[in-house]
Amino acid sequence: MHKHFLSAADLTPNEAEALLARAARLKAEWHAGDQAQWPLRGKTLALVFEKPSLRTRVAFEAGMTQLGGHGSYLSANDIDMGGRESVPDVARNLSRWVQVIAARVFKHTTVETLARHASVPVINALSDREHPCQALADMLTLRERFGQLQGLKLTYVGDGNNVCHSLLLLGATLGVNVSVACPPDYRPDPDLLAQAESLATANAATVVVTTSPVEAVTGADAIYTDVWTSMGQEHETARRQPVFAPYQVNLALMAHAKPTAVFMHCLPVHRGEEVTAEVIDGPQAVVFDQAENRLHVQKALILTLLGF
Ligand code: CP
Ligand code: NVA
């Protein structure tokens, strides 16, 4: 396994499967109330967050507590990376005190710079390019629902953004057929798409990108969407609304998927925009399983990165 976890493509198929299996074991132990083992006693995770967070932050903090360690949250107001202190200096300082760093950043290059200058593992807790911890939780959720991942069809509808990118890479790694429906100007990054396509070929899966939501959703086992405007793009909200309106996930679109299909969303959600309330609050939604699974996969990830 890589020293750092910056991209969903940092995991080989075997490593990804082992991480999910470990997360499933941790989940079972947690639900059984088995908290006897505190392997991370005395260890600290620094959470360097330039953007807000509910799920990622609390899952990391609670996860560290459950493993006997501690999470130290540092917002932009606290450390102002690149302003008050350079990114390499933040990495060098934190490496003297903590055993692992999770960073949520605007620019993906910032998390790469942190990793280059840190002597401890760095985890991408969301950048403008990827959200790999989310994709791990999503794959765990699908594995629980369907028993196995190989051969499933996952359809992502909406913006070809960070969440879409990590789903493409991790899905292709794990043999999931990923189809994406997005407006022509909001396709996934071409280089990342090429990377996903070559991973898919190696793992007996397919990657398809289209502008047609109905075409992409047909026969899907899971329909996934995310906000139309990601953090840092708020000035584009008005321009994006009409472009994405035909990409709303509603009951009419869900009807093209398999009857057993689940609805997925990384959250937070804007009900009535990217998805209707009846879908996200309906029986097909697994969004709070996805949210819970952030805890289990992030615990598994930290343990693995720290050599436990
Ligand atoms: N899904 C997700 O990463 O949520 P937060 O932004 O609240 O961490
Ligand atoms: N694409 C969203 C995901 C939030 C968890 C964003 O980057 O804001």
Side-chain angles (χ1 to χ4, degrees), residues 52-57 104 131 134 231 266-268 294:
S53 170
L54 174 66
R55 280 146 292 274
T56 310
R57 175 183 177 173
R104 168 166 288 203
H131 197 3
Q134 180 67 51
M231 291 181 279
C266 56
L267 306 177
R294 298 295 302 279

Side-chain angles (χ1 to χ4, degrees), residues 103-163:
R104 168 166 288 203
V105 298
F106 284 99
K107 292 200 198 113
H108 189 71
T109 50
T110 304
V111 77
E112 290 177 334
T113 306
L114 275 173
R116 218 165 29 249
H117 295 277
S119 56
V120 299
V122 173
I123 297 170
N124 179 358
L126 182 147
S127 69
D128 59 354
R129 185 172 177 83
E130 278 206 56
H131 197 3
C133 296
Q134 180 67 51
L136 279 174
D138 301 336
M139 292 300 150
L140 179 61
T141 307
L142 287 173
R143 190 177 177 272
E144 290 170 345
R145 284 279 158 164
F146 296 104
Q148 64 157 40
L149 293 170
Q150 188 81 43
L152 289 179
K153 178 175 178 182
L154 166 65
T155 298
Y156 177 95
V157 182
D159 188 15
N161 63 14
N162 45 8
V163 168

Side-chain angles (χ1 to χ4, degrees), residues 47-70:
L47 295 133
V48 179
F49 276 35
E50 295 182 336
K51 303 177 188 176
S53 170
L54 174 66
R55 280 146 292 274
T56 310
R57 175 183 177 173
V58 178
F60 271 126
E61 289 183 340
M64 285 303 288
T65 304
Q66 290 166 23
L67 294 168
H70 173 71

Side-chain angles (χ1 to χ4, degrees), residues 157-304:
V157 182
D159 188 15
N161 63 14
N162 45 8
V163 168
C164 175
H165 284 164
S166 292
L167 286 172
L168 278 164
L169 294 174
L170 194 61
T173 298
L174 288 163
V176 176
N177 301 313
V178 186
S179 64
V180 176
C182 53
D185 292 340
Y186 297 89
R187 288 170 57 92
D189 174 80
D191 292 339
L192 188 140
L193 193 57
Q195 193 184 4
E197 279 163 355
S198 88
L199 284 169
T201 305
N203 297 303
T206 55
V207 166
V208 175
V209 180
T210 167
T211 55
S212 163
V214 170
E215 180 191 321
V217 160
T218 299
D221 296 289
I223 292 79
Y224 199 121
T225 192
D226 185 13
V227 290
W228 293 338
T229 303
S230 286
M231 291 181 279
Q233 301 170 332
E234 289 77 6
H235 59 286
E236 297 179 20
T237 302
R239 176 149 52 90
R240 285 170 171 258
Q241 298 266 350
V243 178
F244 282 98
Y247 292 82
Q248 182 188 67
V249 177
N250 48 38
L251 287 177
L253 186 62
M254 290 294 293
H256 292 275
K258 287 189 184 156
T260 49
V262 295
F263 170 75
M264 306 180 81
H265 193 305
C266 56
L267 306 177
V269 61
H270 293 163
R271 285 178 176 77
E273 292 187 21
E274 72 270 14
V275 59
T276 56
E278 51 191 357
V279 171
I280 193 159
D281 299 323
Q284 288 171 286
V286 293
V287 297
F288 299 110
D289 291 336
Q290 293 172 257
E292 176 182 334
N293 285 339
R294 298 295 302 279
L295 174 72
H296 310 301
V297 296
Q298 289 170 201
K299 283 166 76 176
L301 179 65
I302 290 171
L303 287 170
T304 304

